[in-house]
Amino acid sequence: DKPVCWRNLSNAEEIKMSGRLLGGCLDVLLFLVGTRFDKTKEFVEKYKDDGILWYLESYALQSEALTIGLWQLREAGWFKNAKGFVFGRPAFYNQESAITYEEAVLSVLGELQVPIILDADIGHKAPQMTMVNGAMAEIYSKDGKGTVKFDYI
């Protein structure tokens, strides 16, 4: 019931990617990294042949916190075997510095040279779809629209 427009980064007109889904709300995930509950490196190693499709979104992280948080996850080994990233629309994002949301994401993830989609229909902001951690999925994005197909093997 609200207009949406998925944005493909790196001037990609069309993005097709498949792999095993992993992700969630960055505001929460950042509290888990490095704790006894963090089994992410084991998961991405176990499913390295599938590759990991990261889906992420933010409730209230601003540019600096987003940049530092993504860097922390990358340095902790979470993004090893990543085949791509899908970011939902942030719920409460205000650009408080000269760095845009897109620039913050690319400053950390751009060097991975994998597809990145912004403003997808996931996260706190409606309309949104449910993502299933561990499910195999195919994600497609073109002309501001996108689809997610799940395979629950």
Side-chain angles (χ1 to χ4, degrees):
D1 65 339
K2 297 182 188 207
V4 298
C5 184
W6 292 32
R7 293 189 302 135
N8 299 346
L9 297 189
S10 305
N11 297 320
E13 184 178 311
E14 176 181 63
I15 291 178
K16 293 179 187 177
M17 53 186 168
S18 62
R20 195 163 295 272
L21 289 171
L22 187 59
C25 179
L26 282 165
D27 304 55
V28 176
L29 295 176
L30 291 172
F31 287 114
L32 297 176
V33 66
T35 70
R36 63 188 167 111
F37 303 104
D38 181 1
K39 305 292 184 211
T40 307
K41 288 194 316 189
E42 293 86 346
F43 185 91
V44 299
E45 185 61 29
K46 179 177 181 178
Y47 295 107
K48 66 182 174 192
D49 293 339
D50 297 333
I52 305 299
L53 292 182
W54 281 94
Y55 70 92
L56 300 167
E57 55 90 22
S58 167
Y59 183 73
L61 297 179
Q62 303 310 316
S63 296
E64 294 80 6
L66 176 65
T67 303
I68 293 166
L70 289 172
W71 176 85
Q72 181 180 5
L73 297 179
R74 187 191 72 199
E75 293 300 307
W78 281 34
F79 301 148
K80 183 179 177 186
N81 304 318
K83 289 180 76 177
F85 292 85
V86 179
F87 284 84
R89 293 177 296 280
F92 296 104
Y93 179 80
N94 293 311
Q95 185 177 330
E96 295 179 353
S97 69
I99 300 170
T100 66
Y101 193 86
E102 180 177 326
E103 290 168 334
V105 168
L106 285 175
S107 72
V108 179
L109 303 179
E111 70 184 45
L112 299 178
Q113 297 182 346
V114 296
I116 300 172
I117 300 168
L118 296 184
D119 297 333
D121 300 329
I122 60 172
H124 287 86
K125 214 171 211 182
Q128 72 269 62
M129 63 182 99
T130 300
M131 302 296 270
V132 181
N133 275 325
M136 291 294 293
E138 294 177 9
I139 298 177
Y140 178 78
S141 176
K142 183 178 180 182
D143 297 329
K145 301 294 179 199
T147 59
V148 179
K149 288 171 137 181
F150 296 99
D151 184 356
Y152 298 100
I153 333 182

